[in-house]
Amino acid sequence: MRFHNRRTAGQELGLRLMEWASDGELPHPVVLALPRGGVPVAAEVAQALSAPLDVLVARKVGLPGRPETGIGAVVDDDPPLFDQRALEMAGLSEDRLVQDVAREREELKRRAMLYRGDRSAPDVKNRTVVLVDDGLATGATARAALRRLRRLEPARLILAVPVGAPETVAEMRSEADAVVCLQQPPDFRAVGLWYDDFDQVGDDQVIEILNGYRTPRSTA
């Protein structure tokens, strides 16, 4: 099954999570998106859950020469988190990637300032946190983001994505309290293959969604 676009994928993901909410499994939720692609998805999820929406900016550290292949990630001021198995397979060391990490951290800071400005990050302590992205490939950024969030002491930590590589989804179950993934195709290959429309999400679109979002009134 393919999704038409990120918005419709978010609507379907929101419906699944509403079932959890109706069973009382998502008390006091806050939805955090991994920008940029996760933001349109997360906006629909937050709407469905009548929850506040914000972003957690993370940056993938790519394989030299193949930047689309994530072998690590950075979040906030945390040390970079690398996939040690991927490093070994590529014959790389963390020291070799110091400049790559510095470049991604600068981009992370730029985006965080652009998306949030002077607004502080939401307090997630003792809340149900739903972390949303548009898909899971290597899981590098999701893993770093989940570990960052875990240190902030949420009551429950949930990773929610429309589609993901089965092996990556399985690995994420040790990082989150629950993982919701609508599709786990055995021939996954890449996130974009499972969307009819997978155009790049720009900064302007992220800002428009975040600024235009209003937490719906709960009907509970």
Side-chain angles (χ1 to χ4, degrees):
M1 169 186 152
R2 291 165 60 90
F3 300 100
H4 176 57
N5 56 27
R6 290 180 178 88
R7 181 182 178 188
T8 57
Q11 290 169 351
E12 293 186 37
L13 197 56
L15 288 173
R16 176 70 62 85
L17 287 164
M18 282 178 65
E19 296 175 5
W20 288 32
S22 64
D23 291 336
E25 295 186 34
L26 299 178
H28 200 38
V30 57
V31 176
L32 297 180
L34 285 172
R36 292 181 287 204
V39 175
V41 182
E44 299 297 331
V45 171
Q47 183 80 19
L49 297 178
S50 297
L53 170 69
D54 212 314
V55 292
L56 177 61
V57 183
R59 288 293 296 169
K60 175 173 64 180
V61 179
L63 187 67
R66 293 174 56 191
E68 73 284 356
T69 302
I71 56 174
V74 289
V75 180
D76 290 335
D77 294 324
D78 290 358
L81 179 64
F82 286 105
D83 182 333
Q84 295 300 324
R85 182 175 58 185
L87 286 179
E88 292 174 7
M89 291 178 63
L92 293 170
S93 67
E94 295 185 19
D95 291 342
R96 168 83 182 277
L97 298 168
V98 169
Q99 291 184 347
D100 300 76
V101 169
R103 182 175 62 251
E104 297 303 338
R105 201 180 293 281
E106 284 303 310
E107 177 61 13
L108 184 154
K109 291 177 180 178
R110 183 194 73 83
R111 292 193 184 189
M113 177 60 68
L114 186 63
Y115 301 157
R116 187 177 285 122
D118 295 331
R119 179 167 50 86
S120 60
D123 183 4
V124 302
K125 186 173 183 178
N126 298 324
R127 298 192 68 167
T128 299
V129 177
V130 183
L131 180 68
V132 179
D133 204 354
D134 56 10
L136 276 179
T138 66
T141 52
R143 181 179 289 105
L146 288 168
R147 292 190 182 182
R148 169 66 177 175
L149 289 169
R150 183 68 75 187
R151 289 193 290 275
L152 300 179
E153 301 180 3
R156 194 177 187 200
L157 184 54
I158 296 168
L159 176 63
V161 294
V163 63
E167 62 275 14
T168 305
V169 173
E171 291 171 0
M172 291 300 106
R173 297 191 191 282
S174 65
E175 303 286 351
D177 296 315
V179 178
V180 179
C181 181
L182 301 181
Q183 299 290 332
Q184 299 180 53
D187 56 341
F188 172 79
R189 291 186 292 169
V191 172
L193 295 177
W194 302 96
Y195 287 84
D196 295 324
D197 176 1
F198 198 66
D199 288 347
Q200 185 176 26
V201 177
D203 287 336
D204 289 345
Q205 186 178 351
V206 170
I207 294 168
E208 181 181 1
I209 291 172
L210 293 175
N211 289 345
Y213 182 82
R214 296 290 181 271
T215 305
R217 290 182 178 272
S218 173
T219 57

